[in-house]
């Protein structure tokens, strides 16, 4: 059998999230193994959701697979070596008799492997285990039930195409109204943010003018206040490129920012907490979870006063 004729627990998918499905984390450059054998699914982005994992081919558009969480028995991992990348081992239950069409109808293995060529397997494995323990796919999705107060008396029922069109028009009107209100709030927030940036620039200029009369401690404290409210100039790809320089500078800024939050949280923070606090301080210049994770992994290499171990940031 060719490599692509295995993987019997997977099914083909269009890569679109289900209405009740929520994304958790994703990781690029993942190779799929059927047991110990390599498959033709050589490099793709794996997305973990509340109900399944999906693999999207990085090169061939529309070539995507899905593995439902209900088929997963347990998870394990194998560490990376000089010649091999780290892998997550997914032990599987027998395939269902009534399953969607996939790349194979049978396989000699009861497990598959996800090969993480660019790292990130520890964070992914931790979230994968948490997602499986919650068993969101077992929750029955029930339609909302209207209370008696919501029922409006009418002389006739809305039926047929006219009723459907009218209902869709009402939903569209309500959505448009909500979007309009949201953009008004966003415009107001952006205006306030611009005013704060202008004020901060004025203060920074004053500090430069009065270097002799302002102590180093006062200057450091002032810059710390600016960073904590998200006003200090954030490191971006536009200012530092998209390579290693960007992640190194991002790691330095992140380490400086995390000093106070880590003290307040007892010296330890999760990736989710770090990501949320850091992005909130950066204002409109948001960074991705992958960039934050990559920056955290450089703490020790750059001799910064932080450590990144098993998805946790410590000082």
């Amino acid at each position: 059998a060719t490599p692509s004729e295995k993987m019997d627990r997977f099914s083909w998918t269009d890569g679109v999230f289900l209405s009740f499905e929520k994304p958790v984390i994703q990781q690029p450059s993942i190779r799929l193994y059927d047991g110990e054998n390599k498959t033709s699914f050589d490099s793709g982005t794996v997305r973990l959701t509340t109900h399944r994992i999906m693999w999207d081919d990085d090169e061939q558009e529309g070539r995507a697979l899905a593995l439902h969480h209900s088929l997963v028995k347990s998870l394990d991992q194998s560490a990376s070596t000089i010649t091999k990348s780290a892998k997550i081992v997914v032990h599987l239950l027998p395939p269902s008799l009534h399953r969607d069409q996939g790349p194979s109808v049978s396989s000699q293995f009861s497990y598959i492997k996800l090969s993480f060529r660019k790292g990130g397997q520890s964070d992914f494995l931790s979230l994968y285990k948490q997602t499986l323990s919650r068993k969101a796919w077992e929750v029955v999705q029930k339609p909302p039930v209207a209370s008696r107060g919501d029922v409006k008396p009418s002389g006739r029922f809305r039926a047929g195409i006219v009723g459907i069109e009218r209902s869709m028009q009402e939903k569209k009107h309500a959505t448009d109204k909500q979007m309009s209100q949201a953009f008004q709030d966003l415009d107001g927030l952006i205006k306030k943010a611009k005013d704060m940036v202008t004020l901060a620039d004025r203060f920074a200029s004053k500090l430069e003018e009065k270097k002799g009369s302002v102590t180093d401690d006062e200057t450091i404290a002032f810059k710390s206040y600016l960073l904590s409210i998200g006003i200090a100039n954030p490191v971006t790809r536009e200012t530092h490129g998209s390579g290693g320089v960007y992640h190194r500078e991002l790691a330095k800024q992140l380490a400086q920012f995390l000093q106070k939050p880590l003290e307040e949280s007892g010296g330890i923070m999760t990736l989710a907490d770090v990501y949320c606090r850091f992005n909130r301080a950066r204002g409109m210049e948001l960074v991705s979870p992958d960039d934050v994770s990559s920056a955290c992994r450089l703490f020790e290499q750059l001799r910064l006063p932080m450590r990144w171990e098993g998805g946790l940031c410590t000082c």
Side-chain angles (χ1 to χ4, degrees), residues 39-70:
T39 70
S40 63
F41 306 102
D42 184 62
S43 180
T45 297
V46 167
R47 292 182 290 167
L48 173 67
T49 77
T50 51
H51 289 66
R52 53 189 176 158
I53 58 170
M54 291 188 285
W55 182 92
D56 292 300
D57 200 308
D58 288 337
E59 297 181 355
Q60 187 175 335
E61 186 176 355
R63 188 171 183 245
L65 297 172
L67 174 66
H68 201 275
H69 293 336
S70 61

Side-chain angles (χ1 to χ4, degrees), residues 2-255:
T2 63
S4 62
E5 291 174 348
K6 297 185 181 296
M7 315 288 289
D8 65 338
R9 272 74 158 188
F10 280 88
S11 58
W12 297 114
T13 179
D14 57 7
V16 178
F17 291 124
L18 305 174
S19 60
F20 46 80
E21 185 177 31
K22 295 181 180 179
V24 179
I25 191 176
Q26 68 179 39
Q27 188 72 28
S29 301
I30 303 298
R31 169 183 280 168
L32 298 183
Y33 283 72
D34 186 50
E36 298 299 320
N37 297 336
K38 292 181 181 178
T39 70
S40 63
F41 306 102
D42 184 62
S43 180
T45 297
V46 167
R47 292 182 290 167
L48 173 67
T49 77
T50 51
H51 289 66
R52 53 189 176 158
I53 58 170
M54 291 188 285
W55 182 92
D56 292 300
D57 200 308
D58 288 337
E59 297 181 355
Q60 187 175 335
E61 186 176 355
R63 188 171 183 245
L65 297 172
L67 174 66
H68 201 275
H69 293 336
S70 61
L71 293 173
V72 178
K73 182 178 180 181
S74 62
L75 299 174
D76 201 355
Q77 68 175 324
S78 58
S80 61
T81 63
I82 297 177
T83 58
K84 295 182 179 180
S85 58
K87 297 177 179 65
I88 291 179
V89 183
V90 185
H91 299 279
L92 301 168
L93 297 169
S96 170
L97 295 176
H98 306 287
R99 61 182 185 274
D100 295 331
Q101 186 177 0
S104 173
V105 294
S106 65
S107 173
Q108 61 178 310
F109 298 103
S110 61
Y111 63 94
I112 57 111
K113 292 183 179 181
L114 309 177
S115 177
F116 288 72
R117 301 183 202 173
K118 294 186 178 180
Q121 75 282 350
S122 296
D123 295 339
F124 196 97
L125 178 62
S126 177
L127 291 171
Y128 200 171
K129 288 181 177 179
Q130 292 177 24
T131 302
L132 291 176
S133 67
R134 293 188 178 112
K135 297 186 177 182
W137 64 92
E138 293 184 353
V139 178
V140 179
Q141 301 295 322
K142 297 181 180 180
V145 179
S147 63
R148 294 197 176 193
D150 294 332
V151 179
K152 297 181 180 180
S154 174
R156 56 188 178 86
F157 293 103
R158 293 183 178 181
I161 296 176
V162 175
I164 294 173
E165 289 180 343
R166 189 177 301 170
S167 176
M168 291 176 64
Q169 189 65 30
E170 290 176 355
K171 289 180 180 179
K172 181 178 181 301
H173 178 72
T175 301
D176 290 344
K177 186 176 180 181
Q178 291 174 354
M179 289 294 291
S180 177
Q181 182 63 41
F183 279 115
Q184 287 178 8
D185 294 342
L186 181 59
D187 289 340
L189 180 61
I190 292 174
K191 185 177 183 300
K192 292 293 184 184
K194 289 179 178 178
D195 293 341
M196 291 296 289
V197 170
T198 301
L199 182 62
D201 289 340
R202 265 208 324 264
F203 283 149
S205 299
K206 292 293 183 182
L207 277 180
E208 290 296 325
E209 293 173 5
K210 298 186 177 182
K211 267 190 175 178
S213 59
V214 179
T215 66
D216 291 340
D217 289 342
E218 289 172 335
T219 302
I220 293 171
F222 174 74
K223 290 183 177 179
S224 175
Y225 297 148
L226 292 184
L227 185 59
S228 69
I229 61 175
I231 295 179
N233 291 331
V235 173
T236 65
R237 292 185 183 275
E238 287 73 20
T239 58
H240 292 81
S242 58
V245 174
Y246 166 69
H247 285 118
R248 286 194 294 272
E249 292 303 316
L250 189 66
K252 293 175 184 177
Q253 188 175 76
L254 181 57

